[in-house]
Amino acid sequence: MIYTKRMLLVFALATAVVLGAWAAPPADTTSAFYTWTGNQPATVPEIPVSSAGYTDGTFIGRRESAYYGIVQVEAIIQGGNIVRIRFLSFPNDNGTSAYISSVAVPQLKQEAIQAQGSHVQLVSGATFTSEAFHLSLHSALIQAVN
C-alpha cells in the first residue's frame, strides 16, 4: 500500500514537471541564440525591399542555434539580388547531423536565392536547421536593406 502511494506521488510529480515544461513561454526570438521550442516557429516579418533590391556587398547573419549545432550564413548581394549564400557553420558534428545538413543546406540555399529572401519552406527532417537558417539569413538581409 505504501509502495503504491509512493508510485502515485512520483507519477504526479513527473506529470507536473512535464506539463510545466510544455507551458513554459516560447524562447526570446530576438536572441542571437534562438531555440525553437517545438511550438509554432517564430514568425519573422518579411523585409521590405525597395524595387532597387538589396545593397551590394557581403553580409554575415547572426549565429543561430539549430539545437544540434550552430547555423550562420553569409549572403552575397550583386546587382541588388542575392546571388550566393554560404554557410559559415551548420550542424555536422556527427554522422546524422552531417547527413541531414548535406541534404538541407543545398535546398535552403537554392530556395532562398529563388525567393530573393529568407522566407523559405522548412526542409523535412531538418526543421531546426531550416529555422536557424531562416533567422540567420534574415539578420544578414536586414543589413543589406539598411
Side-chain angles (χ1 to χ4, degrees):
M1 182 74 169
I2 293 174
Y3 179 74
T4 305
K5 287 182 181 179
R6 280 188 194 156
M7 290 304 292
L8 287 173
L9 179 62
V10 168
F11 179 75
L13 288 173
T15 303
V17 168
V18 169
L19 292 177
W22 284 347
D28 177 14
T29 58
T30 61
S31 155
F33 289 97
Y34 167 75
T35 303
W36 189 65
T37 62
N39 297 326
Q40 205 51 349
T43 303
V44 180
E46 189 60 53
I47 301 167
V49 179
S50 69
S51 59
Y54 299 106
T55 303
D56 288 357
T58 300
F59 303 93
I60 296 174
R62 293 187 314 205
R63 293 169 44 89
E64 299 290 345
S65 173
Y67 187 75
Y68 297 101
I70 299 298
V71 170
Q72 185 175 29
V73 299
E74 173 183 77
I76 295 106
I77 311 292
Q78 292 177 349
N81 294 315
I82 303 170
V83 294
R84 186 168 171 227
I85 297 170
R86 191 166 71 99
F87 274 76
L88 303 177
S89 63
F90 56 89
N92 66 349
D93 65 336
N94 63 53
T96 302
S97 291
Y99 172 75
I100 290 170
S101 292
S102 74
V103 172
V105 165
Q107 288 181 20
L108 292 167
K109 288 172 27 175
Q110 178 183 1
E111 192 168 330
I113 291 170
Q114 283 180 324
Q116 288 296 301
S118 63
H119 284 271
V120 297
Q121 293 292 318
L122 297 176
V123 175
S124 180
T127 303
F128 298 129
T129 301
S130 299
E131 279 293 314
F133 169 80
H134 167 74
L135 293 169
S136 183
L137 181 59
H138 186 78
S139 68
L141 296 178
I142 286 173
Q143 299 169 52
V145 295
N146 291 332

